[in-house]
Amino acid sequence: MKKIIITGGAGFIGSHVVRRFVKSHPEYQIINLDKLTYAGNLANLKDIENEPNYKFVKGDIVDAQFIDELFGAEQPDAVIHLAAESHVDRSIANPLEFVMTNVVGTVNLLNAARYHWKGRYDETRFYHVSTDEVYGTLGEDGMFTEETPYDPHSPYSASKASSDHMVRAYQDTYGMNAVISNCSNNYGSYHFPEKLIPLSIHNIKQNKPIPIYGKGENVRDWLWVEDHARAIDVIFHNAKSGDTYNIGGHNEWQNIELIKLLCEIMDKKLGREAGTSAQLITYVTDRAGHDLRYAIDATKLKNELGWTPSITFEEGLEKTVEWYLANEEWLNDVTSGHYQQYYDEQYTNR
Ligand code: NAD
Ligand code: TYD
């Protein structure tokens, strides 16, 4: 296997996956295909952008002709597909955009793969990176396993469930070599400050309110993004076609408890008196259709492929805070919108 297209590589998780594959697998040529939406930031990959086994291609997966031509020109051997609209609140405001990118975009990639890989499915691989949110919500007990029936609630999770079903359909119908993983909430560096953890870090720094939806009792199962990237590497190389794996860190936190821990860490790192940041906690109107609890059972991944998380949440959260405090320029560029010029500044004049 020689050439891999990684879609959404300029985003949060995608940039960690691209970095890992470029650095750990010099035997592959990595093509990062990304539209550079508001969530795509090429500055996330500054440290590897000149590596000889890395190339960036700007493009939209919703454009079927462009995708077909890219496959024709590059003749990739595999796709690791992360490009997506990923924020639940945005999906509530604009569901169609999520259908276009997450469903239609995925089918465009599958069609190109089906056409260009015909007769060599055993040497190729389509890896779809998905979410645990496709399983819907848990009550107080239980965990999502690979056998949990899909029951998505938000437009985001419904679009990801649809794309998972399409990937499975191409595997079942055409015999395409396809793999899916469903991961819990990620956190870590290069996370766009609209999601709970980076938004809260940013607001605490600025002394702005930390918005907590509803009573803050919803539970999420958090995984350090570099552990997710490592899991994708392990699954990509070892899964059988048709396999699905859940990825998670057995690391459940109620939103309010997580934010209290974050406030304690921020007080220490910023040299503020204990309790200062927690005063910024502000309860706001709940998210519509807010899933109560997610929890992943990743036993299959551990038993079959030997993957386990490498760090605890407390360690990971502290590292994450340290990263955001040390990378003020990145955060300022993202919040001011300057990051959207990075492509023009670095790429169009080459
Ligand atoms: P992100 O929003 O940070 O990044 C998405 C990337 O996709 C961006 O670089 C964006 O420019 C690109 N993109 C969007 N629309 C595109 C299009 N039409 N064509 C080409 N590129 C496009 O997302 P993320 O949090 O890094 O998530 C990556 C993937 O992992 C998604 O598929 C998401 O569903 C999945 N996932 C995310 C989490 C999480 O906690 N963030 C957890 C499990 C699974
Ligand atoms: P988020 O980071 O948006 O991820 P997801 O919706 O995919 O789980 O939200 C994580 C949890 O935090 C979720 O229960 C919603 C809640 N939340 C807040 O309470 N306040 C916020 O400002 C945000 C963005 C999320």
Side-chain angles (χ1 to χ4, degrees):
M1 196 172 283
K2 295 271 161 43
K3 205 179 267 187
I4 306 176
I5 293 181
I6 300 183
T7 72
F12 165 48
I13 302 171
S15 63
H16 285 277
V17 174
V18 165
R19 179 176 295 100
R20 182 176 177 93
F21 273 75
V22 166
K23 284 188 167 174
S24 312
H25 298 290
E27 70 275 22
Y28 299 145
Q29 183 67 35
I30 302 299
I31 299 172
N32 173 10
L33 165 62
D34 200 296
K35 182 183 173 182
L36 300 183
T37 67
Y38 79 94
N41 182 357
L42 284 175
N44 296 358
L45 291 164
K46 241 183 209 172
D47 55 326
I48 56 110
E49 68 186 7
N50 293 318
E51 292 297 329
N53 63 335
Y54 171 74
K55 177 165 135 184
F56 174 68
V57 175
K58 185 173 176 181
D60 187 346
I61 59 171
V62 177
D63 182 344
Q65 190 182 338
F66 162 76
I67 294 298
D68 182 60
E69 284 169 7
L70 183 71
F71 267 69
E74 296 289 354
Q75 297 290 320
D77 304 284
V79 171
I80 303 179
H81 175 36
L82 296 103
E85 287 295 333
S86 70
H87 189 36
V88 173
D89 294 328
R90 286 180 190 256
S91 81
I92 294 168
N94 187 359
L96 186 58
E97 205 173 354
F98 284 66
V99 173
M100 294 311 291
T101 286
N102 299 1
V103 186
V104 177
T106 301
V107 174
N108 285 340
L109 289 164
L110 286 165
N111 276 339
R114 181 186 160 211
Y115 174 75
H116 289 276
W117 292 349
K118 206 168 182 176
R120 55 184 206 106
Y121 287 149
D122 53 342
E123 303 154 29
T124 53
R125 167 147 284 186
F126 192 100
Y127 184 147
H128 187 225
V129 175
S130 192
T131 166
D132 62 351
E133 301 190 26
V134 297
Y135 298 124
T137 187
L138 293 163
E140 300 291 317
D141 307 313
M143 291 183 132
F144 298 134
T145 71
E146 288 79 0
E147 272 70 52
T148 303
Y150 277 29
D151 181 24
H153 296 149
S154 72
Y156 164 65
S157 54
S159 69
K160 291 297 290 189
S162 309
S163 51
D164 283 1
H165 288 315
M166 290 307 292
V167 173
R168 239 169 239 139
Y170 275 63
Q171 204 259 334
D172 290 340
T173 309
Y174 309 113
M176 188 180 285
N177 181 324
V179 172
I180 299 171
S181 57
N182 298 85
C183 187
S184 61
N185 288 61
N186 284 215
Y187 70 97
S189 53
Y190 302 109
H191 203 181
F192 196 84
E194 64 180 355
K195 307 271 171 80
L196 179 67
I197 292 180
L199 176 80
S200 302
I201 294 175
H202 179 60
N203 286 11
I204 293 169
K205 258 187 81 192
Q206 309 272 318
N207 272 312
K208 286 187 186 159
I210 309 167
I212 300 290
Y213 298 166
K215 294 182 180 156
E217 288 170 347
N218 303 67
V219 173
R220 296 293 181 264
D221 186 352
W222 296 91
L223 182 69
W224 192 44
V225 64
E226 293 187 33
D227 280 333
H228 187 190
R230 183 167 49 86
I232 289 172
D233 190 338
V234 169
I235 293 168
F236 177 77
H237 287 101
N238 297 291
K240 296 187 300 298
S241 177
D243 266 345
T244 65
Y245 285 93
N246 281 353
I247 311 173
H250 288 285
N251 185 38
E252 291 178 52
W253 284 79
Q254 243 188 8
N255 291 340
I256 187 63
E257 295 307 320
L258 184 161
I259 291 302
K260 283 181 185 165
L261 173 65
L262 181 65
C263 287
E264 276 174 36
I265 298 174
M266 290 294 285
D267 281 344
K268 274 191 217 136
K269 300 283 174 195
L270 294 171
R272 291 180 181 171
E273 197 181 318
T276 309
S277 300
Q279 288 169 17
L280 299 168
I281 292 173
T282 308
Y283 293 93
V284 299
T285 309
D286 207 353
R287 172 186 280 171
H290 197 170
D291 285 340
L292 177 67
R293 176 172 163 258
Y294 303 145
I296 278 273
D297 180 348
T299 308
K300 179 181 174 195
L301 181 56
K302 181 179 170 201
N303 288 350
E304 291 186 5
L305 305 184
W307 175 93
T308 51
S310 68
I311 57 174
T312 66
F313 185 63
E314 286 79 355
E315 286 166 337
L317 194 59
E318 193 161 338
K319 265 178 190 266
T320 303
V321 168
E322 284 166 1
W323 186 86
Y324 277 90
L325 296 180
N327 287 275
E328 203 154 66
E329 194 188 335
W330 182 91
L331 194 55
N332 289 343
D333 279 355
V334 169
T335 46
S336 70
H338 180 75
Y339 72 107
Q340 285 173 319
Q341 292 163 31
Y342 191 85
Y343 174 74
D344 295 332
E345 287 165 4
Q346 303 295 318
Y347 282 80
T348 51
N349 297 327
R350 280 184 174 191

